[in-house]
Amino acid sequence: GLTQAGDFYVALVRDPGFQSAVNDIVIEFASRQSQPLLDRYIVTGDSVSPDSLRTIWRNTTKVASWEFPIYERWLKAIRAVNLGLSPSRRIRVLAGDTEVHWEDLHTHDDWTRLGDNNLSFARVITSDVLAKNRKALVVLGSNHLARSGARDGSPNTTTRVEAKDPGAMYVVWLYNGRPGGPAADDRIGQEGWASPSVVPLRTTWAGAL
C-alpha cells in the first residue's frame, strides 16, 4: 500500500526502456481465474466495468489485502501504455496467485487446502515466461523472493524457479524504511543516493541489514 512504491511502478511501466525490454509483469494481487479478464482489459484494451475490474484484486487467496488504490492505478497505467504500443509489443500482466473460487470455500480448512501459492507463482514464471523465452518483472512480497527461501525454511518462488532455471531470477528488494529505520535513512542521505537507486546488497552495509 506504499504510495511511493505505486508511483515507482507507474513510472517504470511508462519508461520506453522498460517497454522494450519486458514482455510480461507477474503480479501477486491477482489469481489465475482472473487471467482472461486481465488479458481483455490490459492487452486487448476492452472496456471493463468497475465492478468486474475490482474482482481482479478482490478474488485472490488473500482477502482484503489489495484494496489500496496503487494496484488499480497501476493496472490502468499499464493498459494506457499498451494502447500506445503495437499489438506485438504490448505488455501482458500475468495473474500469479493460486486459482480460487470463493463460492466453493466454506471453512478455514477449505482455504488451507489451496496450498502454497509459491507453487503457482513459480509455475507461471516457468511456463508462461521462461519456457516462451520472454522476460518479466515479477512483483511479489519479499518472503516469496528471498534467495534463502521462505522465512520458515521452505522453498519459495525464487528457489523453485532457479531449481529448474538456474540464474533466471534477479532479485531486487524494494526499500521501504526497514530494515534499518532512521539510521539507514540518514546514511542513505549522507551518501547522496539518487532517487531511485539500485545498489548491490552482497558485501555492503545495506546487505548486512
Side-chain angles (χ1 to χ4, degrees):
L2 191 66
T3 299
Q4 293 95 327
D7 293 343
F8 175 71
Y9 295 147
V10 169
L12 192 62
V13 79
R14 288 175 176 168
D15 184 88
F18 178 87
Q19 297 165 16
S20 65
V22 172
N23 310 109
D24 306 304
I25 298 173
V26 181
I27 58 174
E28 184 172 355
F29 61 97
S31 289
R32 297 301 299 148
Q33 80 281 348
S34 294
Q35 191 60 57
L37 180 58
L38 273 169
D39 287 339
R40 281 179 46 219
Y41 180 68
I42 298 290
V43 180
T44 308
D46 289 352
S47 294
V48 174
S49 71
D51 285 344
S52 294
L53 192 63
R54 280 190 284 269
T55 66
I56 292 173
W57 57 84
R58 287 184 174 174
N59 289 343
T60 75
T61 65
K62 303 295 185 291
V63 179
S65 292
W66 313 114
E67 289 294 327
F68 303 101
I70 67 169
Y71 302 108
E72 179 181 8
R73 187 161 62 94
W74 193 28
L75 291 181
K76 288 181 176 180
I78 299 168
R79 180 179 184 273
V81 164
N82 274 344
L83 290 175
L85 299 175
S86 65
S88 64
R89 282 302 312 153
R90 289 180 179 176
I91 299 166
R92 191 178 184 207
V93 175
L94 299 173
D97 194 22
T98 306
E99 183 170 336
V100 59
H101 299 280
W102 282 102
E103 64 272 16
D104 298 328
L105 273 59
H106 305 287
T107 68
H108 183 76
D109 287 342
D110 292 339
W111 177 82
T112 301
R113 278 191 289 272
L114 292 173
D116 181 0
N117 55 7
N118 282 295
L119 291 166
S120 180
F121 299 139
R123 189 179 301 117
V124 168
I125 295 166
T126 300
S127 300
D128 291 355
V129 180
L130 298 177
K132 298 178 180 179
N133 294 315
R134 293 166 69 88
K135 293 182 179 180
L137 170 69
V138 178
V139 180
L140 307 174
S142 58
N143 195 41
H144 297 295
L145 295 175
R147 290 197 170 277
S148 54
R151 284 186 289 269
D152 63 4
S154 63
N156 66 2
T157 300
T158 294
T159 59
R160 290 179 184 278
V161 170
E162 296 232 322
K164 292 184 177 180
D165 294 278
M169 301 282 283
Y170 182 87
V171 180
V172 178
W173 185 298
L174 185 66
Y175 178 70
N176 63 359
R178 61 182 185 273
D185 291 342
D186 289 344
R187 185 164 181 178
I188 289 170
Q190 291 166 7
E191 295 182 2
W193 292 15
S195 179
S197 293
V198 177
V199 299
L201 294 183
R202 188 173 296 170
T203 71
T204 66
W205 69 264
L209 292 174

